[in-house]
Amino acid sequence: EWSTWTNLEGLMLQSNVLTSNLPREWSYMTSLEVLYISENELTGSIPSEYRAIAQLTDFRCHVNNLSGTLPSELAEFSDLEVFYVFENRFSGSLPTDYGSWSAVTD
């Protein structure tokens, strides 16, 4: 059960042919700093609840089938350094709030 993994700092599930929506329960992993879920077949949108993962520095969800708009709530990732979302099916533009990410380098 994801809600018990509150001290987990890194979750690396890239290239595993995962085929579900992103679990909202991952937002309980509030110590998470690294989330690699790229190169799978994930669908749906990025849950706005992920804003609770406030310590996230590296978020990579590229090369999936994610869709919808990117949630403006992710602007709360004040320590984010890496944000890869390319090769998905997102619509709309980047939320202007993402401009607050002063640490993003990649």
Side-chain angles (χ1 to χ4, degrees), residues 22-40:
L22 294 177
R24 294 185 190 285
E25 295 81 12
W26 284 359
S27 65
Y28 298 131
M29 296 186 285
T30 54
S31 296
L32 207 58
E33 295 177 10
V34 174
L35 179 56
Y36 292 174
I37 51 175
S38 56
E39 300 177 14
N40 284 293

Side-chain angles (χ1 to χ4, degrees), residues 60-96:
R60 301 178 193 214
C61 66
H62 58 286
V63 191
N64 278 292
N65 291 307
L66 298 172
S67 59
T69 58
L70 292 167
S72 61
E73 292 86 355
L74 299 187
E76 297 177 30
F77 294 156
S78 59
D79 295 327
L80 194 65
E81 296 174 3
V82 177
F83 184 65
Y84 289 173
V85 295
F86 59 89
E87 291 191 42
N88 279 290
R89 300 175 190 271
F90 294 118
S91 58
S93 57
L94 285 176
T96 56

Side-chain angles (χ1 to χ4, degrees), residues 48-64:
S48 60
E49 290 87 351
Y50 283 17
R51 71 177 173 266
I53 311 171
Q55 296 183 49
L56 201 63
T57 60
D58 194 337
F59 182 47
R60 301 178 193 214
C61 66
H62 58 286
V63 191
N64 278 292

